[in-house]
């Protein structure tokens, strides 16, 4: 069985509450993505009742059905869906659709049960033009405006078409053409571009023309096999399927939009030469900085270097260090300056980048740009309070908003912004040190302690403060305070966000009064129940799926929490809860991802956790040991070395670590450094069926890099 056949793109395609995954065929980091297009408005793709086309860049392509429409019922038992290509029998059209992708194009083929006259609709958002045997389309694609060119394999006539569909994004008016041909089969090779129709035509000729569907599928499968081949796994087959599908989700992003030596930048609305380095975008760093980027950096450091260079180009072109870059430019979304963490992580892993340009971009974001969520712009009173008083100011319940830049729905999220920005400042201080900006580094090290200013010892939680420094009353860290807690938090509540101190866990434990108190709080996180019915709770916190007590596996701010038992000398509790989470909330089925995938963020958590370690504090150069899901995982690192985790018997119920050895030497700590990982070698874990409370339980539980 080839590795790419472990990938099941339908895992997670039924959402637990919000966004489901899509069954995408694409190359790793590929610009072209081909997939079935389901009934408009469908949110859970696996249980869709019909297919309305094959999405192929700006085009959606669909045969006419027996009723004269362009939709068909389908049956998953008569479908093959892989990362490298798919096929599905379209019941109402009496034909089989097959498809695959290349870097900037792909191929769609329809084979009908009977030979005769058949009609195919090619539609796009903006326009479809037929000239001779060439069809050109324009429209929205991957949050940008794209061009598509296709040349059907059979002679055809055409007639214009148009219509309107209602989707979850509202009404979409489309243009199209219906081509009519005689025969039993037709292939529609296509190219896509963000630069021009001419560039799309060049990609079509270079990547698709003259190649068979099987040849193209084999090329994509081989690319995935090569990437997945960095990981050699021994263990349960069902877990391998989750693991390799997780890697597929991680390496779909970021997307390289360089084409034919150039790229279109939505950040200055211009076309640039790519200078031999790919230009990457289509990302949400609030989500992906926690695991997806660190995983990519280990496996493909040169690609990651190009990703970092892309962030710097985006800054040069827009004046902002982007956190949510897309082909049409930067999107004001979520909170924090988390792109900073990627540069700090690169420092810790020896990945080269232009430090002078990076520091210029990072400094502006941390010292001059606004920290308001869902906003890109200059400093406001909200930001001055953080930089001068050490916390972001909240407003009292029902008080009018006084800062016009605050998003009317997303609100201030003042506690979350303070806590996440303190971590980002910790990472920024590392860049300031490398750039020789000593005074700025000292300021950032002071700011990274701002989390302390929100801890209310009278209740033992992080709490909002007004601009005068008074704690907001009334305040309940469990309650909503607007949907998703948005008055004070980002999508989670005070139970989760009180633990958002990844860079100084020792300081957080100190605020709790010591390890015993901290351990009791950790226990409570996994046992404290929502108030009232769960359906009411989830209507208030729709992102907080995958619940275990107040812990929500379904949203990013909680990802690091299970690992925090390590820092109070109780790693066996981390080991138990990780296995519970993986067993309950991850499976090789359409419901197999318990929250929003968010571009590989949740899958990256699973991949790291299944291997047995996690980048708890990205940028610190430290990995925390959990409890592996496999007997053995070997990782071929991008530097040519291999790192192996062996945990014999773990998949048969032995989840507790009795002892550990790193390269033959006893390891009495529950963490290791990036340098130790990059040097390669073997981490051997002796596993036990019962908790072993002596391993890694000494007083020096917190890595010195995380202070």
């Amino acid at each position: 069985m080839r590795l790419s056949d472990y990938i099941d793109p339908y895992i997670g395609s039924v959402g637990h509450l919000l966004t489901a995954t899509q069954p995408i065929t694409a190359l790793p980091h590929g610009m072209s993505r081909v997939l079935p297009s389901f009934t408009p408005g469908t949110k859970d793709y696996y249980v869709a009742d019909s297919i309305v086309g094959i999405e192929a860049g700006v085009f959606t392509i669909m045969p006419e059905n027996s009723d004269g429409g362009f939709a068909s019922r389908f049956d998953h038992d008569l479908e093959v869906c892989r990362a490298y290509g798919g096929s599905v029998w379209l019941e109402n059209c009496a034909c089989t659709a097959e498809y695959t992708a290349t870097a900037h194009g792909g191929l769609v083929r329809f084979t009908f049960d009977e030979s005769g006259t058949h009609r195919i609709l090619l539609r796009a958002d903006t326009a479809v033009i037929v000239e001779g045997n060439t069809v050109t389309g324009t429209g929205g694609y991957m949050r940008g405006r794209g061009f598509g060119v296709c040349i059907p394999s059979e002679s055809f006539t055409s007639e214009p078409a148009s219509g309107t569909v209602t989707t979850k994004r509202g009404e979409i008016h489309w243009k199209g053409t219906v081509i009519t041909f005689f025969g039993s089969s037709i292939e529609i090779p296509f190219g896509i571009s963000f630069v021009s129709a001419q560039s799309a035509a060049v990609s079509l000729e270079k990547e698709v023309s003259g190649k068979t569907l099987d040849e193209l599928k084999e090329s994509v499968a081989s690319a995935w096999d090569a990437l997945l081949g960095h990981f050699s796994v021994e263990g349960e087959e069902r877990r391998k399927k989750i693991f390799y599908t997780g890697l597929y989700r991680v390496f779909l992003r970021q997307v390289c939009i360089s084409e034919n030596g150039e790229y279109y930048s939505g950040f200055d609305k211009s076309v640039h030469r790519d200078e031999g380095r790919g230009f990457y975008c289509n990302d949400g760093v609030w989500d992906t900085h926690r695991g997806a980027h660190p995983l990519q950096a280990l496996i493909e450091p040169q690609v990651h270097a190009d990703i970092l260079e892309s962030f710097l180009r985006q800054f040069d072109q827009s004046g902002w260090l982007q956190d949510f870059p897309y082909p049409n430019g930067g999107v004001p979304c979520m909170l924090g300056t988390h792109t900073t963490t990627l540069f700090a992580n690169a420092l810790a892993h020896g990945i080269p980048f232009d430090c002078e340009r990076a520091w210029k971009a990072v400094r502006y974001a941390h010292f001059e740009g606004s920290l308001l969520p869902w906003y890109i712009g200059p400093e406001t009173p909200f930001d001055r309070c953080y930089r001068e008083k050490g916390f972001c100011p909240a407003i009292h319940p029902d008080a009018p908003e006084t800062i016009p830049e605050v998003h009317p729905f997303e609100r201030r999220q003042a506690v979350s912004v303070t806590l996440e920005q303190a971590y980002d400042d910790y990472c920024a201080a590392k860049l300031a040190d490398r750039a020789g900006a000593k005074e700025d580094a000292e300021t950032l090290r002071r700011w990274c302690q701002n989390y302390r200013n929100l801890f209310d010892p009278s209740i033992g939680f992080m709490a909002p403060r007004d601009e005068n420094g008074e704690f907001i009353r009334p305040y309940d860290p469990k309650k909503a305070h607007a949907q998703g807690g948005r008055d004070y938090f980002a999508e989670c509540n005070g139970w989760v966000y009180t633990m958002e101190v990844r860079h100084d866990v020792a300081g957080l434990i100190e605020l709790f009064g010591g390890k015993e108190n901290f351990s009791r709080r950790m226990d409570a996180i996994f046992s404290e129940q929502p108030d009232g019915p769960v359906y009411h709770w989830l209507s208030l916190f729709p992102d907080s799926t995958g619940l275990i007590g107040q812990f929500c596996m379904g949203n990013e701010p909680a990802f690091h929490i299970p690992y925090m038992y390590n820092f109070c000398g109780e790693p066996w509790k981390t080991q138990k809860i990780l296995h519970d989470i993986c067993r309950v909330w991850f499976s090789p089925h359409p419901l197999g991802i318990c929250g929003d995938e968010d571009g590989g963020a949740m899958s990256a958590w699973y991949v790291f956790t299944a291997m047995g370690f996690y980048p708890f504090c990205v940028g610190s150069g430290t990995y925390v040991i959990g409890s592996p899901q496999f007997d053995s995982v070997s990782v071929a690192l991008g530097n040519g070395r291999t790192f192996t985790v062996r945990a014999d018997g773990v998949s048969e119920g032995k989840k507790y670590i009795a002892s550990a050895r790193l390269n033959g030497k006893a390891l009495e700590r529950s963490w290791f450094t990036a340098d130790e990982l990059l040097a390669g070698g073997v981490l051997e874990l002796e596993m036990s069926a019962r908790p072993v409370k002596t391993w890694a339980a000494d007083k020096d539980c917190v890595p010195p890099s995380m202070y």
Side-chain angles (χ1 to χ4, degrees), residues 93-110:
C93 304
C95 82
T96 298
E98 299 169 274
Y99 55 87
T100 191
T102 65
H104 307 94
L107 179 62
V108 180
R109 180 167 70 195
F110 297 105

Side-chain angles (χ1 to χ4, degrees), residues 287-292 294-295 298 502 553 555-564 566-567 574 578 601-618 620-627 645 670-672 677 683 703 706:
D287 309 289
T288 57
H289 81 276
R290 303 164 199 267
L295 187 59
L298 289 177
R502 288 174 274 170
M553 185 62 239
N555 206 15
E556 285 80 5
F559 281 5
H560 66 287
I561 291 177
Y563 288 89
M564 298 184 87
N566 283 348
F567 306 124
T574 284
L578 289 177
M602 194 162 300
S603 287
W605 183 93
Y606 181 85
V607 168
F608 269 118
T609 296
M611 290 193 295
F613 57 96
Y614 183 70
F616 179 91
C617 177
V618 175
S620 69
T622 304
Y623 293 86
V624 178
I625 298 172
S627 181
V645 179
S670 59
W671 52 270
F672 53 85
L677 172 62
L683 174 63
M706 289 164 47

